[in-house]
Amino acid sequence: MKNGLWTLLKKPYPGEDFFLPDLCSSFAVFTLVVLAELVVLLWVLAQPVSGGFDWLQLAMASLFVQWIVLLSAALLCRLRPWMQRRPLGLAIAACYAVVISLVLIFTILGEWVLHQGMLGLPQLDAELLLRHGLIALIMTSLLLRYFYLQQQWQRQTQAELKARLQSLQSRIRPHFLFNSLNSIVSLIGSSPDKAENAVLDLADLFRANLGEAEGVASWAEEKRLCEGYLRIEQYRLGDRLKVEWDTEALPAVTPMPLLTLQPLLENAILHGLQPSLHGGDIRIHGIYRSGVVELEVSNSCPDVVDSHQGSRMALQNIRARLAALFGPQASVEAWRDGPRYFSRLVYPCSKRP
């Protein structure tokens, strides 16, 4: 078959997420050691003994198995880059060869040390070698199957996350589209140059919005897009819109999803400044402190509280995007304090800007 198993085994593994995990990581080594010890304990418990639990047998079996596990993990870790460039069948065969070879070598050495006292040449026990080889074959097959299923689960999780982020980003799209188009239409007759600049700014917003949903850009790029959006609204509102930036403490290379700040600015204009005849001001404060990014938007607002559902939906979408990308510690809050309305987003940034 064209897409059969044999065709799959003859090609290198597709994608960068190789089915064999990085066995050099501390978590992987710890997991392998614990699993190996549980298998040894189960094997010792299954042995018929009299006079209580055989602690010596447990110690000797643990020593034998743990040496094999640790050396196998080390060798496969070093061979992982080589296996990624080879056909999948050859990579799987290399995994079997490494583990089974180590098992047979340690079986021979163990018999030579314990039963022969390191005297003479090691004796080969064909039955014992066959039994240990079959055990190694079965355990390696189970582990490779587990690694493969885990990798497939991670792929599915990433695909679902990407689809979820794309859906959330698509919901944000109308928030700036229709208001921006109205602003451009109002400028075509009176100020065609400003209308042209507004179209360019809107094109930048569309380009960012149609990009990769899971991509994380920088604060400098997000600020540039937001300044373009504010220029579009400035053409429409004129002197009614005043903006103050206080983001010097937020490094330009700080990771930030595109179109994260823009919906907050639109909410501030739509529900705070636009209903007021005299307009108002927007203040943006950003800071990076102790591995945490804090970005706050405050705006003057009219006396009548606007209960528009769009504001809450935009906040929910931003909260969901940040939680999906930066974990449950990310948060988005909104509250009113006297004549001003505040929106603040906070998320951890492990990579120092």
Side-chain angles (χ1 to χ4, degrees):
M1 293 184 299
K2 183 177 179 180
N3 295 321
L5 178 61
W6 180 247
T7 303
L8 180 64
L9 292 176
K10 291 193 299 182
K11 297 180 179 179
Y13 190 79
E16 298 180 357
D17 48 343
F18 193 53
F19 78 96
L20 186 68
D22 182 11
L23 298 179
C24 289
S25 65
S26 56
F27 177 78
V29 172
F30 174 77
T31 302
L32 289 175
V33 168
V34 172
L35 290 177
E37 193 61 32
L38 290 176
V39 172
V40 170
L41 180 61
L42 181 63
W43 178 77
V44 173
L45 290 174
Q47 299 295 317
V49 295
S50 59
F53 186 78
D54 192 345
W55 292 100
L56 179 61
Q57 187 179 24
L58 176 64
M60 298 302 295
S62 298
L63 181 64
F64 176 79
V65 172
Q66 294 297 353
W67 267 107
I68 295 174
V69 168
L70 293 176
L71 285 177
S72 298
L75 290 175
L76 291 177
C77 175
R78 296 296 301 271
L79 290 175
R80 189 172 184 268
W82 176 85
M83 289 188 291
Q84 284 182 294
R85 302 188 299 267
R86 299 300 184 274
L88 180 59
L90 181 59
I92 296 176
C95 294
Y96 282 113
V98 167
V99 178
I100 295 177
S101 298
L102 287 175
V103 169
L104 297 180
I105 291 173
F106 273 88
T107 299
I108 296 173
L109 291 177
E111 289 293 308
W112 183 49
V113 172
L114 296 178
H115 295 94
Q116 296 182 232
M118 302 179 68
L119 299 176
L121 295 176
Q123 301 296 321
L124 300 181
D125 187 341
E127 182 180 352
L128 182 63
L129 291 176
L130 179 61
R131 185 166 61 250
H132 285 187
L134 288 176
I135 293 174
L137 178 67
I138 294 173
M139 296 305 299
T140 304
S141 300
L142 292 176
L143 278 176
L144 290 179
R145 178 63 175 171
Y146 168 75
F147 291 150
Y148 175 77
L149 292 178
Q150 184 184 48
Q151 185 268 344
Q152 292 299 313
W153 175 77
Q154 291 176 350
R155 274 190 171 184
Q156 181 180 358
T157 302
Q158 292 174 358
E160 292 175 354
L161 176 61
K162 182 177 180 179
R164 181 185 174 197
L165 290 174
Q166 188 64 53
S167 175
L168 292 171
Q169 189 165 325
S170 298
R171 293 179 189 176
I172 297 175
R173 191 172 303 164
H175 283 266
F176 67 83
L177 172 60
F178 298 119
N179 287 338
S180 299
L181 289 177
N182 290 333
S183 301
I184 293 171
V185 169
S186 65
L187 291 171
I188 291 176
S190 59
S191 302
D193 294 339
K194 293 182 178 180
E196 181 180 357
N197 293 331
V199 170
L200 295 176
D201 289 330
L202 182 59
D204 285 340
L205 289 170
F206 259 117
R207 189 177 298 108
N209 196 58
L210 295 174
E212 290 294 329
E214 77 278 11
V216 178
S218 64
W219 161 241
E221 180 66 13
E222 174 69 6
K223 183 179 180 182
R224 185 185 68 81
L225 292 172
C226 290
E227 288 173 341
Y229 170 76
L230 290 174
R231 280 194 297 270
I232 296 174
E233 294 293 358
Q234 190 81 59
Y235 296 148
R236 183 169 63 93
L237 298 175
D239 295 337
R240 295 171 59 197
L241 172 61
K242 300 178 179 64
V243 182
E244 178 182 344
W245 293 87
D246 179 21
T247 57
E248 290 80 8
L250 190 60
V253 296
T254 302
M256 180 175 296
L258 290 179
L259 300 181
T260 299
L261 174 62
Q262 186 273 333
L264 300 181
L265 296 177
E266 182 176 3
N267 283 340
I269 294 175
L270 183 61
H271 307 298
L273 279 66
Q274 186 170 285
S276 175
L277 294 176
H278 304 287
D281 66 281
I282 299 176
R283 300 172 188 169
I284 302 102
H285 174 73
I287 188 173
Y288 176 84
R289 178 172 50 198
S290 300
V292 177
V293 176
E294 297 183 15
L295 194 60
E296 182 180 276
V297 176
S298 67
N299 61 275
S300 56
C301 51
D303 296 334
V304 178
V305 178
D306 189 350
S307 60
H308 197 280
Q309 295 293 329
S311 175
R312 288 193 288 271
M313 179 173 289
L315 293 176
Q316 291 173 0
N317 289 340
I318 296 172
R319 184 181 297 112
R321 292 177 67 199
L322 291 178
L325 290 170
F326 297 100
Q329 294 182 344
S331 64
V332 179
E333 301 174 328
W335 71 94
R336 178 165 179 167
D337 187 3
R340 299 192 67 81
Y341 190 84
F342 295 84
S343 301
R344 181 174 62 187
L345 59 90
V346 179
Y347 61 89
C349 179
S350 56
K351 183 178 180 180
R352 183 175 179 84

